[in-house]
Amino acid sequence: MNVYEIKSMAERLEGNTYPGRGIVLGLTPDGKTSVAAYFIMGRSVNSRNRVFVREPDGIRTEAFDPSKMVDPSLIIYHPVREIGQGLIVTNGDQTDTIWEFLARGESWEAALRTRKFEHDGPNWTPRISGLIAPDGSYKMSILKSADPEGSACARFFYEYPAIAGLGHFLHTYVCDGNPVIPTFQGEPERVSIPADIDAFTAELWENLNEDNKISLFVRYTNLETRKFEQRILNKHL
């Protein structure tokens, strides 16, 4: 077994109809550009009724058709926010919790210890989060139920150096399931990061399940100049 095996995102997504929501963080092969990607998927009408829209400091989710919105509590949030020269990426409103803690000089671990998985039993969808530092290193976290009843929260934190061409992929579910969707297990998965933002965006979008994919965000940030390029794809637009 090669514990250091690196796979492409196409390989990681191939044949998986429902990894749920996913975060990819890493560094381009030349070591000069940090990379962040976030995608959302959905099975219900309410979950699928979303798009990503730009904000001055990142992006937020928005109802594509407001008349179809049922419960906004877990699907409308600010998944990407800048914090100084860093970038927060999450699958829920814990983005704002992290931002508030960091803004007053506290740690992201402290922020996430105030949060838990989502209240959507029996799935108890994990809260996944990422934080890119100005030097390209990054942290990832998953908060998930410690038991089938959702009676307690298990919190996992990971910290990675910036390694050229390498990224990590963290997603909410192992795969689709019925009636319960299995929660992600193990460490974030090692993935290769392409040099070109459009190539990476296409690789992600084309390998997400056509029926269940909703929106995708990708940002490439030059570590020296801090200039960035980003792409946003929405199935409904």
Side-chain angles (χ1 to χ4, degrees), residues 3-125:
V3 297
Y4 296 111
E5 181 181 19
I6 300 172
K7 293 185 177 181
S8 68
M9 280 302 300
E11 293 173 308
R12 293 293 186 191
L13 294 170
E14 184 180 13
N16 190 344
T17 59
Y18 203 63
R21 285 166 276 175
I23 297 171
V24 183
L25 304 180
L27 197 67
T28 53
D30 63 6
K32 296 180 179 180
T33 303
S34 68
V35 174
Y38 177 61
F39 64 79
I40 58 174
M41 306 180 78
R43 303 190 306 174
S44 69
V45 172
N46 196 43
S47 291
R48 290 177 174 180
N49 182 35
R50 288 182 289 173
V51 292
F52 285 165
V53 295
R54 290 177 174 83
E55 286 285 299
D57 66 343
I59 60 169
R60 61 181 169 84
T61 60
E62 184 176 272
F64 174 66
D65 182 348
S67 69
K68 294 181 179 180
M69 179 62 64
V70 178
D71 177 10
S73 64
L74 294 178
I75 65 172
I76 302 300
Y77 55 93
H78 201 156
V80 178
R81 291 190 70 180
E82 298 168 1
I83 178 74
Q85 292 188 339
L87 192 71
I88 304 165
V89 185
T90 90
N91 73 326
D93 63 11
Q94 72 266 29
T95 307
D96 298 328
T97 305
I98 294 168
W99 191 97
E100 290 163 4
F101 271 68
L102 295 179
R104 60 177 184 252
E106 298 185 59
S107 70
W108 99 308
E109 291 87 353
L112 288 169
R113 288 189 181 107
T114 70
R115 303 303 305 268
K116 60 184 290 187
F117 49 87
E118 297 180 359
H119 54 276
D120 61 342
N123 292 319
W124 310 120
T125 299

Side-chain angles (χ1 to χ4, degrees), residues 23-26 87-90 98 102 106-110 112 128-133 135-142 156-162 168 170 188:
I23 297 171
V24 183
L25 304 180
L87 192 71
I88 304 165
V89 185
T90 90
I98 294 168
L102 295 179
E106 298 185 59
S107 70
W108 99 308
E109 291 87 353
L112 288 169
I128 56 174
S129 306
L131 176 65
I132 303 180
D135 66 356
S137 62
Y138 50 96
K139 298 179 179 182
M140 304 185 91
S141 172
I142 182 168
F156 301 86
F157 300 94
Y158 305 92
E159 189 168 350
Y160 298 103
H168 287 83
L170 181 59

